[in-house]
Amino acid sequence: MSPLLEMTGVRKRYGGVQALDGAALTAVRGEVHALLGPNGSGKSTLDKTLAGTVVPDSGEIRIDGAAARIGGPRDAHALGVAAVYQQLSIVGDLTVTQNVVLGLEPARRWGFLDHRAARARAAAALDRFAAAFPGGLPLDRPAGSLGPGEQQIVEVAKALARGPRILVLDEATASLHKEQVAVLFDVVRELRASGVLVVFTSHRLDEVFALCDRATVLRNGRTVGTVELAATDEAELVRLMVGDAPRRSGAPAAAARPSPSAGAAATLEVRGLTTERLRDVGFTVRAGEVLGLGGLQGQGQSELLLALFGAARVTAGEALLDGRPLPLTSPAGAARAGVALVPGDRGRQGMFAARPIQENLSLASMHRRARLRLALGAAAERRAARSMVERLGIKIGSLADPVSTLSGGNQQKVVIGKWLLDRPRVVLLDDPTKGVDVAAKEEIYAIVRGLADDGVVVILNSSDNRELTELSDRVLVLFEGAVAEELSAAAITEKRLVAGALRLTPGESP
Ligand SMILES: Nc1ncnc2c1ncn2[C@@H]1O[C@H](COP(=O)(O)OP(=O)(O)OP(=O)(O)O)[C@@H](O)[C@H]1O
Ligand SMILES: [Mg+2]
């Protein structure tokens, strides 16, 4: 079969960073083609050259055998390319319908007069995802009122409304619940059956193996290979992605790790914690322990972390750190008490996009920053930031560049890194490794374990069951804001987590 898409020798430079350095990708119609590689390897940039939002410095793109000149999104659209970017483009104040038809020619011509036609078009695109909206399609609701996963699905529907023959999905599953992922995969499989080429990027390799036919791997902006997934295992794929380079480090690097807190070994006791979405939650976490939060997403896991961080309205209950009550009233108070929150939603929390990487990495709060500077001096602060950059393999041009110039996964690493450089006594991790590549995940796990070993209390919420099983000593399964079950280390398996999430006993599990 002659290829539908051929990209060769694609180059793109940003200042001091060669984002693409001769990347190539060849794919056929009716294929789900994974585009893989470490954070900062050029995946999103390559997607954007195809979608017309980035014009490459050089290189060739052929679609259906003919040279394609893609000077902007309009050209890409005309060639049948639609893309869903890593950063959402949903306009929160517009309705779902308005978002889906936004930028479509007819919609503009119809204007307000043909609201009904626009609605029909949006409904047709969204209807494929009906199973993800149990309460009915939210056509007339403001898109901003939807949850992150639902907004992501609207984004995909928007691309589908363009009737593409090439659909690019860049990390489209990162903020989806498992049930939503299943719905998306069904739609992608239908598209494949009807001859569409889907270019799919995800750092969750189980998804790649479940959905994709072949994978092209990028490293440092260059294509290192294309493999048939049926004939490849995970280890081989990881080797392609990270290369034969030695692991960045074995034991946690002393320079990057805070020394144990003075008076380390904390114990956190939570009693009767109640908020709008939590019901009477109680548990104890001892120093050296990683407590996982499991269950279906949206059962109060994030709310629990926010409540402990003083960012949710607590109506009853308390949390005691070594017998002393945590304030639970403001994030600033929580930070002063030594509580850190690492959010998965780096856009809204936890990052100053326009500020330099160094400043973002250096510190969790100005208060701490001033203290660290006093204690260590600016040179040491820079050293600490640099060692974290190395440790997590954050791909940067210079520490002085704004965080916004980093790739999605590298931005998330900065958010994680700054808290790990700080000296927290309690670390709350809310789906921390969303969009982070496999090698860096391992590093982050090692650091988190190291923190626990140093006596820091760690609570982890993760939508990735594999991550939960790998890191947790114990898992609390939440259901509708309450603790439904507690699994001990020995009992934690992905199967048990799924069973717990569904409130089945393992014997009945599907
Ligand atoms: N607008 C920009 N300005 C400066 N540098 C950029 C810009 N966009 C991307 N880069 C750089 O180009 C490189 C490739 O980034 P890209 O976003 O393509 O990576 P990626 O493979 O998608 O990574 P991730 O898995 O983290 O999403 C990175 O080093 C990034 O910092
Ligand atoms: Mg990317």
Side-chain angles (χ1 to χ4, degrees):
M1 201 180 337
S2 67
L4 174 59
L5 174 67
E6 275 178 284
M7 304 177 84
T8 44
V10 185
R11 290 195 160 70
K12 175 70 191 177
R13 187 175 188 84
Y14 292 106
V17 175
Q18 190 73 44
L20 292 176
D21 192 14
L25 172 74
T26 298
V28 298
R29 56 180 67 69
E31 175 180 26
V32 184
H33 197 106
L35 179 59
L36 305 179
N39 295 132
S41 55
K43 304 178 297 294
S44 296
T45 307
L46 190 65
D47 285 341
K48 287 176 188 162
T49 63
L50 181 57
T53 48
V54 162
V55 178
D57 301 331
S58 60
E60 193 182 31
I61 302 177
R62 301 181 79 82
I63 293 180
D64 243 349
R69 288 203 34 82
I70 306 180
R74 216 153 275 284
D75 296 338
H77 184 188
L79 288 161
V81 178
V84 174
Y85 301 107
Q86 206 166 355
Q87 312 276 0
L88 288 186
S89 71
I90 291 289
V91 184
D93 292 335
L94 297 184
T95 66
V96 166
T97 294
Q98 287 167 332
N99 268 286
V100 171
V101 300
L102 195 68
L104 279 178
E105 287 296 343
R108 197 179 309 133
R109 219 180 312 125
W110 301 332
F112 291 103
L113 292 177
D114 224 338
H115 176 69
R116 206 185 288 159
R119 208 168 173 283
R121 184 137 182 188
L126 266 172
D127 200 43
R128 317 178 80 142
F129 300 95
F133 298 100
L137 300 184
L139 289 171
D140 301 315
R141 280 177 51 194
S145 70
L146 304 180
E150 290 171 331
Q151 291 192 18
Q152 179 71 63
I153 285 178
V154 170
E155 193 87 55
V156 179
K158 180 177 165 184
L160 283 186
R162 279 140 182 82
R165 46 183 183 154
I166 300 177
L167 174 67
V168 177
L169 298 177
D170 191 1
E171 297 280 345
T173 58
S175 47
L176 298 187
H177 303 166
K178 279 183 196 47
E179 313 83 80
Q180 294 168 326
V181 170
V183 175
L184 174 65
F185 280 15
D186 284 345
V187 173
V188 168
R189 291 188 181 110
E190 277 169 31
L191 292 169
R192 164 169 60 194
S194 66
V196 174
L197 162 63
V198 180
V199 178
F200 180 85
T201 290
S202 169
H203 288 290
R204 298 176 178 170
L205 296 185
D206 49 341
E207 292 183 353
V208 170
F209 279 101
L211 185 69
C212 304
D213 303 299
R214 293 193 297 161
T216 288
V217 178
L218 293 185
R219 217 189 298 154
N220 294 322
R222 239 168 274 150
T223 297
V224 293
T226 296
V227 294
E228 294 282 342
L229 286 163
T232 311
D233 63 9
E234 198 169 310
E236 164 74 7
L237 206 52
V238 170
R239 201 189 52 73
L240 262 179
M241 281 194 274
V242 299
D244 296 317
R247 303 273 303 129
R248 271 189 294 275
S249 64
R257 266 263 302 287
S259 50
S261 323
T267 297
L268 178 71
E269 221 184 320
V270 175
R271 294 190 197 136
L273 198 64
T274 303
T275 67
E276 199 190 327
R277 310 197 44 211
L278 292 178
R279 289 181 293 134
D280 195 21
V281 171
F283 58 87
T284 300
V285 202
R286 278 166 299 275
E289 230 187 354
V290 176
L291 178 72
L293 302 179
L296 295 173
Q297 283 299 294
Q299 302 301 310
Q301 296 94 336
S302 292
E303 176 98 345
L304 174 54
L305 299 183
L306 288 175
L308 293 173
F309 192 58
R313 213 170 67 80
V314 174
T315 52
E318 59 179 355
L320 305 170
L321 183 57
D322 286 337
R324 272 199 302 279
L326 286 176
L328 304 183
T329 45
S330 75
R336 266 195 302 279
V339 180
L341 174 73
V342 178
D345 184 0
R346 60 185 175 270
R348 260 179 289 172
Q349 314 156 3
M351 201 181 74
F352 302 98
R355 305 295 307 165
I357 297 161
Q358 142 106 42
E359 201 174 291
N360 269 280
L361 250 187
S362 285
L363 291 169
S365 69
M366 292 317 269
H367 163 74
R368 297 222 158 214
R369 177 158 197 220
R371 261 201 356 221
L372 191 76
R373 257 181 192 269
L374 270 183
L376 302 173
E381 181 189 330
R382 209 162 33 245
R383 258 201 314 280
R386 196 164 285 292
S387 78
M388 191 52 85
V389 163
E390 236 157 70
R391 182 101 208 269
L392 297 182
I394 307 180
K395 193 181 171 203
I396 64 170
S398 143
L399 277 172
D401 292 342
V403 173
S404 58
T405 64
L406 295 181
S407 75
N410 283 311
Q411 292 183 14
Q412 183 60 26
K413 290 184 196 172
V414 168
V415 172
I416 297 171
K418 81 170 184 186
W419 283 111
L420 299 181
L421 268 179
D422 201 21
R423 310 277 318 277
R425 304 187 63 212
V426 177
V427 177
L428 310 171
L429 301 160
D430 196 1
D431 229 349
T433 62
K434 240 187 228 177
V436 168
D437 64 42
V438 281
K441 268 186 200 171
E442 289 305 320
E443 285 297 318
I444 290 164
Y445 296 171
I447 296 176
V448 169
R449 289 252 50 113
L451 285 172
D453 292 346
D454 283 350
V456 174
V457 166
V458 181
I459 306 182
L460 166 77
N461 172 36
S462 179
S463 58
D464 182 348
N465 277 345
R466 200 195 267 194
E467 179 163 302
L468 268 186
T469 47
E470 214 162 293
L471 268 179
S472 312
D473 298 302
R474 252 182 326 139
V475 171
L476 296 182
V477 176
L478 296 193
F479 184 73
E480 292 183 350
V483 177
E485 193 180 1
E486 180 178 324
L487 302 175
S488 66
I492 305 171
T493 60
E494 286 197 44
K495 203 163 174 196
R496 281 296 296 270
L497 282 172
V498 172
L502 300 175
R503 307 215 63 199
L504 300 170
T505 60
E508 303 172 78
S509 68

